[in-house]
Every structure is written in C-alpha cells, then in structure tokens.
Amino acid sequence: MLLTAGGVGAGLTGSMAGLASLVSYPVLLATGIPPVAANMTNTVALLASAVGAGAGARRELRGQGRRIARLSVLAVAGGLTGALLLMWTPSAAFERIVPGLIVLGALALLFRGPVRDWYLRPGWRPPVNLAVFLIAIYGGYFGAAAGVLLLAVLVVAVTEPFAVTNAVKSVVLGAANLVAAALYAVTGPVHWTAAALLAAGCLVGSGIGPALVRRTPERPLRTAIAVAALCLATYLWWRAG
C-alpha cells in the first residue's frame, strides 16, 4: 500500500513538476531497500510515469514528434552514460554539485521572462542540445529533480504553452530513464516487486497530472515547482554535508 500510494504521488509530481523522485525514492528507502538498489528500482518504476504522462498529454504532444525524437536521441545517449557512471563511480561528487544545479533550475522557472530574454538575444548562447544531454547523464546517474532541470531548459529556450513544454519534458525524460532502466534490469540489484507496485501507482498518478497542468494557471504552477525544487536542493545539500 505504501509503495502504490507513493507511486501515485510520484506520478503526479513527476508529470506536473518533474519531481517524481522527491516522493518515490524516500518511499523505497522507507521499505528497507538499500540506497543503490532503491535508486535503480526507482529508475525502472518511473518508466510508468513517462507512459502515463504521454497518454494523458496526447493533446499537448500533437505535432511534437520530430522535436521529441531529436531530444530523445540525446536523452538516450545521456541516460546510458549516466547509468554507466553510477555503476563505475561513487556518487559523492554528484551529490555535492546537484543542489546548485537544482537551485539554478528553480531560478530559471521563477524568472523565466528575464532569463528567456537573455537567452534569445543575438549572440552566442548555450546550446540546448548540450544541456539536454548533460541533464540526461544526471538523470541516468542519480535522477532527483532531473525533470525540473529539463523543464527549466525547455521553458527558457522555447516560447509555447507551459503544458506543452511539460508534456515534452516527461516523454524525453522517459527516454533517458528507459536506457538506464534497461541496463539496471540486466546488471543491477533491482527490487522487482517494489518496482511493480511503485510503477502501478505511477501510471495512475501520471495519467492525471497532465489534465491538472492543463487547468492550472501557469505562473502559480511554475512558482510552486520552483519552491519545491528549492526545498529539495536544501535537503540534498544538508544530506551531502
């Protein structure tokens, strides 16, 4: 019951804000699964969140096929790289860098207008494709708030309804999770019962999320996502010591 309910919450927060792991990862730890196994189990289970979000956001995803395909190629490459890094290296370095990245993402969401104006002005600008690839590496490696980072990049780089950006984010992040989950399924200590229960809840929650995004005013939603991301950054910074 705990895992399924946590999955519903993770699916909602993931499809609406990119913060699924804020709910799902602590739930897995609460059931007694060790951290590395919980991280890998979480990645596998959250595939259901991408499926549910994609199904629930069919209206927003119309006409986005080429864009999603291009970004998904980058996400798959980055997700595989991140998964391999998780298997070969300790997580201490990432744990110290991640809070700062999440704060930057939250600020980009809060101050989207000025940041977008800066990004779109003539001259050199950081390439979006590189940012998507790097975020996918992080997503495959650790994952907490990867959706917020990707959402922040897409919100700044593209002028479109927030619900469309959010839907594209969910599908592209799912592509990064897919390759990492496949690798973990073959080589990692995935807890399959927990993954199945969590995934069932994620499928339900993520299917509801896009409809809520569609009906929620953009500015309050962006603000709520940014505040939640800042809280997560504070917690991760405290945990990293």
Side-chain angles (χ1 to χ4, degrees):
M1 290 178 64
L2 175 65
L3 285 165
T4 305
V8 173
L12 276 171
T13 56
S15 60
M16 295 183 70
L19 287 167
S21 292
L22 180 64
V23 177
S24 56
Y25 184 66
V27 166
L28 288 168
L29 293 178
T31 64
I33 299 174
V36 173
N39 192 23
M40 294 184 178
T41 302
N42 187 50
T43 300
V44 172
L46 288 182
L47 289 177
S49 183
V51 173
R58 292 188 300 274
R59 182 191 309 179
E60 287 77 14
L61 293 174
R62 289 192 191 112
Q64 299 293 326
R66 295 176 115 185
R67 176 187 177 195
I68 289 173
R70 172 175 55 83
L71 294 177
S72 293
V73 169
L74 297 167
V76 166
L80 178 60
T81 303
L84 292 173
L85 283 173
L86 177 64
M87 297 174 67
W88 294 338
T89 64
S91 61
F94 262 97
E95 288 178 356
R96 296 187 178 278
I97 295 170
V98 163
L101 295 177
I102 296 174
V103 168
L104 289 177
L107 293 176
L109 289 173
L110 280 174
F111 304 104
R112 184 189 66 174
V115 175
R116 179 186 286 167
D117 291 342
W118 166 80
Y119 183 80
L120 295 179
R121 70 185 179 185
W124 183 87
R125 66 191 67 170
V128 173
N129 288 348
L130 177 60
V132 171
F133 176 68
L134 293 176
I135 291 168
I137 291 177
Y138 165 63
Y141 187 93
F142 185 61
V148 169
L149 299 177
L150 184 57
L151 183 61
V153 167
L154 296 179
V155 158
V156 169
V158 181
T159 302
E160 63 188 4
F162 183 78
V164 173
T165 308
N166 194 56
V168 170
K169 171 268 299 176
S170 294
V171 176
V172 172
L173 195 63
N177 279 345
L178 176 61
V179 65
L183 185 61
Y184 296 156
V186 174
T187 63
V190 175
H191 193 298
W192 289 104
T193 301
L197 293 170
L198 192 64
C202 281
L203 193 62
V204 174
S206 61
I208 299 170
L212 296 178
V213 172
R214 199 177 296 138
R215 292 167 172 78
T216 305
E218 176 182 338
R219 184 180 292 275
L221 181 58
R222 280 195 291 111
T223 301
I225 294 170
V227 170
L230 289 172
C231 292
L232 176 60
T234 302
Y235 167 73
L236 292 176
W237 174 79
W238 171 79
R239 192 179 71 173

